[in-house]
């Protein structure tokens, strides 16, 4: 790919072929680095990835590949933690403004909505896996855990079972559970929910992680993703984590 890219840049620098080759070479090199680098040095790979994506966007700002590069850059900046979120928000905003007709526009706007959601009313409406209409505003008087998930996630069943246990413990105190499946196949979502014996409202819309309107609305790019919502219907934590700390957070939520 790099040899091909060198030939193209000599013959047609700045062309659509050059941007195409450059982005594919970059993505391939990143995949190779991730698979071969010592996990202890993973942070170095991520820094390299962010720098390379930023350089690509500056070199090919209007290319066909620029929207995907910008989306990946923003996600990588989010992955860097709180320090990178402001930069991620800026990239999402630039993506939405620069490519108003691109499918990633709505995803980028949703991500900005998510990054600024704490203290704001949580908004979610759609259909449950049973085909029933659901609108979060109708239950916004109860503390709620909202999980965006997919059956193919590495710890999906463990996460769903943890929520089932938390619902059993804190349901009598008013806790509600809402999940949003970003599977391609609703049947797989049903199977996982049943296996975990998880109560609550479970939403689904076709499109998967990339295109489900339920995920796009908050720019969900990775699963699992958890929101904690207070009894007044406002987001108190837009990036809660499954695991040991979740119980403590819910304990505070239901008081």
């Amino acid at each position: 790919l790099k040899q091909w890219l060198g030939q193209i840049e000599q013959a047609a620098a700045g062309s659509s072929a050059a941007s195409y080759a450059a982005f594919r070479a970059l993505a391939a090199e990143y995949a190779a680095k991730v698979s071969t680098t010592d996990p202890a040095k993973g942070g170095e790979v991520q820094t390299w990835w962010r720098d390379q994506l930023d350089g690509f966007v500056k070199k090919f700002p209007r290319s066909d590949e620029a929207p995907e590069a910008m989306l990946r850059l923003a996600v990588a900046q989010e992955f860097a933690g709180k320090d990178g979120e402001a930069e991620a928000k800026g990239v999402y905003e630039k993506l939405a403004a620069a490519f108003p007709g691109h499918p990633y526009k709505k995803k980028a706007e949703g991500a900005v909505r998510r990054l600024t959601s704490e203290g704001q009313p949580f908004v979610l409406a759609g259909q449950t896996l049973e085909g029933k209409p659901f609108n979060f505003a109708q239950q916004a008087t109860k503390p709620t855990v909202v999980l965006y998930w997919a059956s193919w996630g590495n710890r999906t069943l463990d996460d769903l079972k943890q929520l089932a246990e938390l619902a059993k413990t804190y349901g009598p105190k008013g806790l509600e559970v809402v999940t949003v499946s970003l599977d391609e196949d609703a049947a797989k979502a049903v199977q996982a929910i049943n296996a975990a014996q998880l109560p609550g409202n479970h939403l689904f819309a076709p499109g998967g992680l990339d295109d489900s309107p339920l995920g796009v609305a908050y720019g969900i790019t990775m699963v699992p993703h958890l929101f904690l919502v207070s009894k007044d219907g406002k987001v108190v934590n837009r990036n809660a984590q499954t695991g040991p700390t979740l119980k403590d957070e819910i304990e505070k939520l239901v008081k």
Side-chain angles (χ1 to χ4, degrees):
L1 278 170
K2 284 186 174 180
Q3 290 175 351
W4 180 38
L5 174 58
Q7 294 171 1
I8 292 173
E9 287 185 333
Q10 286 183 358
S15 66
S16 59
S19 65
Y20 179 90
F23 190 66
R24 268 63 194 179
L26 177 59
E29 187 171 0
Y30 173 64
K33 284 180 178 292
V34 168
S35 64
T36 59
T37 300
D38 184 337
K41 296 183 178 180
E44 296 177 12
V45 174
Q46 294 305 317
T47 298
W48 174 89
W49 178 230
R50 292 192 296 272
D51 290 344
Q52 295 298 311
L53 288 170
D54 183 59
F56 178 89
V57 171
K58 290 176 179 176
K59 186 174 182 179
F60 301 103
R62 300 299 303 173
S63 66
D64 290 343
E65 291 72 34
E68 182 177 352
M70 294 176 78
L71 184 67
R72 290 197 185 198
L73 174 58
V75 171
Q77 288 168 332
E78 280 199 70
F79 188 74
K82 287 286 186 181
D83 292 340
E85 288 182 351
E87 293 183 13
K89 179 175 176 290
V91 176
Y92 285 129
E93 290 171 337
K94 290 178 181 177
L95 169 54
F99 297 93
H102 197 278
Y104 285 158
K105 175 182 185 293
K106 290 184 178 180
K107 189 103 173 179
E109 290 175 334
V112 172
R113 188 178 302 115
R114 169 171 49 80
L115 288 171
T116 58
S117 63
E118 289 185 0
Q120 301 299 316
F122 185 77
V123 179
L124 177 64
Q127 283 195 331
T128 67
L129 284 165
E130 294 83 15
K132 298 178 181 179
F134 174 87
N135 191 326
F136 185 81
Q138 295 176 353
Q139 70 163 53
T141 59
K142 298 180 180 180
T144 307
V145 179
V146 183
L147 172 69
Y148 290 78
W149 66 286
S151 64
W152 42 260
N154 291 334
R155 290 180 45 83
T156 293
L157 189 56
D158 289 339
D159 291 341
L160 296 179
K161 285 183 176 180
Q162 182 187 18
L163 280 189
E165 287 298 318
L166 291 170
K168 183 178 179 180
T169 301
Y170 296 103
K173 297 182 179 181
L175 181 71
E176 292 286 337
V177 173
V178 175
T179 74
V180 180
S181 168
L182 299 180
D183 276 296
E184 297 281 354
D185 184 356
K188 292 182 179 180
V190 171
Q191 184 178 11
I193 290 293
N194 289 341
Q197 298 183 344
L198 178 61
N201 290 290
H202 309 295
L203 279 65
F204 174 84
L209 179 62
D210 291 332
D211 298 318
S212 167
L214 298 175
V216 168
Y218 275 109
I220 305 298
T221 57
M222 292 179 281
V223 290
H225 193 102
L226 244 68
F227 288 85
L228 295 182
V229 185
S230 64
K231 61 183 179 182
D232 63 359
K234 295 182 179 180
V235 177
V236 296
N237 189 339
R238 57 179 167 79
N239 193 25
Q241 303 297 312
T242 57
T245 62
L246 184 58
K247 181 177 180 180
D248 294 336
E249 289 199 71
I250 290 178
E251 184 77 45
K252 296 176 182 177
L253 194 67
V254 299
K255 284 184 177 179

